[in-house]
Amino acid sequence: MAEADLDAVIRQLAKQQNKAILAAAKKRKDRFNGMAVKAKDKDAKERFKLLAREAVEQANAAARRLLISADNVADSYARAMRQAAAAELPRKPETKQPEKKADGAAAKPQSGKATSKAAGNDPAKPTPKKAAPKKAAKKA
């Protein structure tokens, strides 16, 4: 799986999470049904059975939303990759070569300012201050 597409990985992970959600919902349903069996009065039994049904219903809805979201993300990623592959690279503007003098040497910088800016020693810019050390948080 060295060259796996990321959209396929997204879909696979969503399926695994979907299975985990549904398994947890089944455990929760079984727990509520077990509590309903042990309940002494009729109202408690009805309440636990209702909770079991609601747990499964809500888990199914969450799993469905998860799969839809994962499909949308995977489709979006695949589309973006196709567009990026089809796009042309931006062209750099052509720069003119410095004209050579009669003796064959290239044009030199005018003054020392060009070299000081290249070295990062621009006198017009203030030097950045170092960040103050953070104080240790007090333990309560």
Side-chain angles (χ1 to χ4, degrees):
M1 199 169 164
E3 290 289 327
D5 290 330
L6 192 55
D7 60 332
V9 173
I10 292 169
R11 291 176 205 276
Q12 181 182 9
L13 290 174
K15 286 179 185 178
Q16 289 173 355
Q17 289 177 342
N18 190 12
K19 288 179 184 178
I21 288 172
L22 295 177
K26 185 176 184 277
K27 285 181 184 178
R28 175 74 50 102
K29 180 188 86 166
D30 292 343
R31 181 174 162 258
F32 283 133
N33 283 334
M35 292 170 76
V37 169
K38 292 178 184 178
K40 298 194 183 221
D41 60 343
K42 187 177 180 178
D43 289 338
K45 286 183 182 192
E46 297 276 332
R47 187 171 62 246
F48 286 129
K49 287 181 180 181
L50 178 66
L51 285 172
R53 278 183 294 212
E54 283 295 318
V56 171
E57 185 178 329
Q58 295 298 325
N60 283 331
R64 186 171 49 249
R65 287 192 302 267
L66 175 74
L67 285 178
I68 290 170
S69 295
D71 283 341
N72 288 341
V73 168
D75 291 342
S76 177
Y77 173 79
R79 182 173 46 252
M81 287 291 96
R82 281 193 307 270
Q83 289 174 352
E88 293 182 18
L89 292 175
R91 294 185 182 181
K92 293 182 181 178
E94 294 182 18
T95 58
K96 293 183 179 179
Q97 297 292 333
E99 294 181 19
K100 293 184 179 182
K101 293 184 179 180
D103 61 354
K108 295 182 182 178
Q110 293 178 352
S111 65
K113 289 182 181 178
T115 57
S116 66
K117 284 184 182 179
N121 299 329
D122 190 3
K125 292 183 180 178
T127 58
K129 295 181 181 179
K130 292 184 178 179
K134 295 182 179 179
K135 295 181 181 178
K138 294 181 181 179
K139 295 183 179 179

